[in-house]
């Protein structure tokens, strides 16, 4: 009994001290983070918690384009050697499209072809697509435009009158080579990703960071780059990211369901580095668009040269000084895999849109976990989803 009294006394004292520290530091986003993770039995975000945030609706088409289903739809099965890992990692959607028709799809845990879940960092790829559309419309001149032309307020001049963004261009944001000192740490609750995700003021948060090394030299994956790119698009077009996405992308590619883009607060900014919520069939449309070099049926939505640049390695070095072979304009690249040059979008919990051009194949996987391999930028589970599709449809 004495032990319990002592325990609760110290527990109460620690709780008070922690609350005071949070309030004094102004890091009140920690309350939302703790409430929606540890107090719900998780150590990180959920794929379907978009309802805990304010959202902008990305309106869908009034005349949606329907995916055809092939004659052999769902006649083949995922082999047992892959299925156990699919289920162990909490796969909720798996979709294989080949020759412009759905060949296989499966859903788990009550999810369906209309269930919304978080794209997480696949949204970075979607922002890249919107940038290409803005270039196609002449709203943005080129990827070589200086970022300061659009966002001078994010990079105030130093005491000598020099612009702190220096030679920073849109291309550097697209290729993750900005040289900005964002702290991309997915463990620390104090780093940019956690503050951006659970916080309520993306603009003020992002303005705390600046260019500290020469842009255009080194590939360093930073979520803040995509948020800055989204602000460039908004400044150039005069529309919110969701409005522009709906008008110029989501409706033109015949999306069947509205998407929901989570905001930092009601009426605020889209979390452009993540948090575009949709379903597997509609996500697959992005793959179809780029499989046909930016064309949707007969309409060129994204410039072909921009698409081709997007899916080839940016001329950079990685942090180990090796030539970049895995990243373009916010698309991940997997060259020469089993004879295929593959590009894909991905999210932190194993969200993937995989495009295999020579097979005319698109693979979408949505789920709750992914499997990381140390020393390699490509998660181990990515290969299982590709291999399972290639095994079924060689």
């Amino acid at each position: 009994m004495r032990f319990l009294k002592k325990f609760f006394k110290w527990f109460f004292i620690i709780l008070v001290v922690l609350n005071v520290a949070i309030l004094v530091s102004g890091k009140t986003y920690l309350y939302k983070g703790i409430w929606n993770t540890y107090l719900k039995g998780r150590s990180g975000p959920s794929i379907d918690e978009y309802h805990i945030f304010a959202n902008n609706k990305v309106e869908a088409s009034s005349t949606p384009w329907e995916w055809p289903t092939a004659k052999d739809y769902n006649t083949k099965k995922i082999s047992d050697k892959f299925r156990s890992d699919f289920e162990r990692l909490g796969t909720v959607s798996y979709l294989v499209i080949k020759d412009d028709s759905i060949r296989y799809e499966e859903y788990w845990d009550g999810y369906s072809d209309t269930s919304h879940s978080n794209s997480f960092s696949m949204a970075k790829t979607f922002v890249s697509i919107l940038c290409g559309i803005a270039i196609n419309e002449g709203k943005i001149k080129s990827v070589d435009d200086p970022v300061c032309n659009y966002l001078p307020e994010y990079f105030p001049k130093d005491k000598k009158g020099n612009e702190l963004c220096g030679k920073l261009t849109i291309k550097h944001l697209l290729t993750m080579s900005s040289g900005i000192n964002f702290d991309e740490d997915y463990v620390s609750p104090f780093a940019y990703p956690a503050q951006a995700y659970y916080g309520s003021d993306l603009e003020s948060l992002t303005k705390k960071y600046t260019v500290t090394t020469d842009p255009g030299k080194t590939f360093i994956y930073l979520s803040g780059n995509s948020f800055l790119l989204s602000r460039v698009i908004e400044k150039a077009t005069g529309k919110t990211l969701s409005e522009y996405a709906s008008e110029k992308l989501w409706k033109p590619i015949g999306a069947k369901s509205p998407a929901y883009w989570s905001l930092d607060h009601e009426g605020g900014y889209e979390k452009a580095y993540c948090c575009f919520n949709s379903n597997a069939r509609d996500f697959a449309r992005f793959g179809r668009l780029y499989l046909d070099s930016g064309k949707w049926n007969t309409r060129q939505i994204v410039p072909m040269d921009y698409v081709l640049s997007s899916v080839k390695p940016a001329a950079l070095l990685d942090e180990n000084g090796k030539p970049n072979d895995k990243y373009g304009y916010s698309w991940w690249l997997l060259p020469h895999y089993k004879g295929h040059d593959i590009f894909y979008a991905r999210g932190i919990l194993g969200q993937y849109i995989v495009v295999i051009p020579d097979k005319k194949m698109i693979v979408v996987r949505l789920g709750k976990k992914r499997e990381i391999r140390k020393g390699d930028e490509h998660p181990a589970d990515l290969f299982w989803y590709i291999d399972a599709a290639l095994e079924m449809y060689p």
Side-chain angles (χ1 to χ4, degrees), residues 115-348:
S115 299
H116 284 74
S117 64
N118 198 337
S119 67
F120 291 105
S121 288
M122 291 202 303
K124 295 178 173 70
T125 303
F126 310 156
V127 173
S128 169
I129 296 171
L130 292 173
C131 181
I133 293 171
I135 290 172
N136 195 44
E137 290 195 309
K139 304 291 186 180
I140 294 173
K141 184 178 179 182
S142 81
V143 295
D144 296 316
D145 278 5
V147 173
C148 274
N149 287 2
Y150 301 90
L151 303 176
E153 69 275 20
Y154 279 79
F155 302 98
K157 295 181 180 180
D158 64 18
K159 293 179 180 179
K160 295 182 180 180
N162 300 311
E163 290 180 331
L164 294 178
C165 64
K167 299 177 181 179
L168 179 67
T169 67
I170 290 172
K171 185 176 181 179
H172 300 144
L173 299 179
L174 284 165
T175 58
M176 297 292 172
S177 60
S178 66
I180 298 174
N181 60 344
F182 292 114
D183 45 346
E184 192 80 1
D185 186 322
Y186 300 110
V187 176
S188 171
F190 306 108
Y192 184 90
Q195 292 197 63
Y197 188 74
Y198 289 112
S200 59
D201 192 348
L202 267 171
E203 184 169 50
S204 294
L205 172 65
T206 306
K207 284 180 178 178
K208 294 178 181 178
Y209 300 87
T210 193
V211 178
T212 56
T213 59
D214 286 343
K217 299 290 180 65
T218 306
F219 169 78
I220 302 177
Y221 185 85
L222 300 169
S223 294
N225 289 338
S226 295
F227 175 68
L228 285 171
L229 182 59
S230 75
R231 295 291 292 118
V232 168
I233 294 167
E234 289 180 332
K235 285 292 188 75
T237 64
K239 299 178 184 292
T240 70
L241 198 64
S242 296
E243 288 171 341
Y244 194 64
S246 177
E247 180 183 341
K248 303 298 181 178
L249 181 58
W250 206 232
K251 288 180 178 179
I253 63 176
K256 189 171 184 178
S257 301
Y260 298 94
W261 214 325
S262 298
L263 309 175
D264 59 349
H265 62 271
E266 191 69 50
Y269 295 117
E270 286 86 351
K271 300 178 184 185
Y273 56 90
C274 81
C275 311
F276 185 99
N277 297 272
S278 186
N279 59 72
R281 286 192 175 198
D282 278 343
F283 280 139
R285 297 170 190 273
F286 294 120
R288 184 179 189 264
L289 179 66
Y290 268 52
L291 185 60
D292 201 12
S293 301
K295 184 184 290 185
W296 189 266
N297 298 331
T298 60
R299 178 181 176 184
Q300 192 74 40
I301 293 176
V302 189
M304 182 181 292
D305 59 346
Y306 181 90
V307 172
L308 296 178
S309 295
S310 297
V311 297
K312 72 177 185 180
L316 304 167
L317 299 177
D318 65 20
E319 291 183 89
N320 297 315
K322 296 180 180 179
N324 163 57
D325 65 352
K326 58 184 174 281
Y327 206 76
Y329 289 0
S330 303
W331 283 91
W332 291 94
L333 312 176
L334 183 60
H336 316 309
Y337 180 68
K338 295 187 175 180
H340 309 289
D341 288 329
I342 296 170
F343 58 91
Y344 69 101
R346 85 178 189 212
I348 195 171

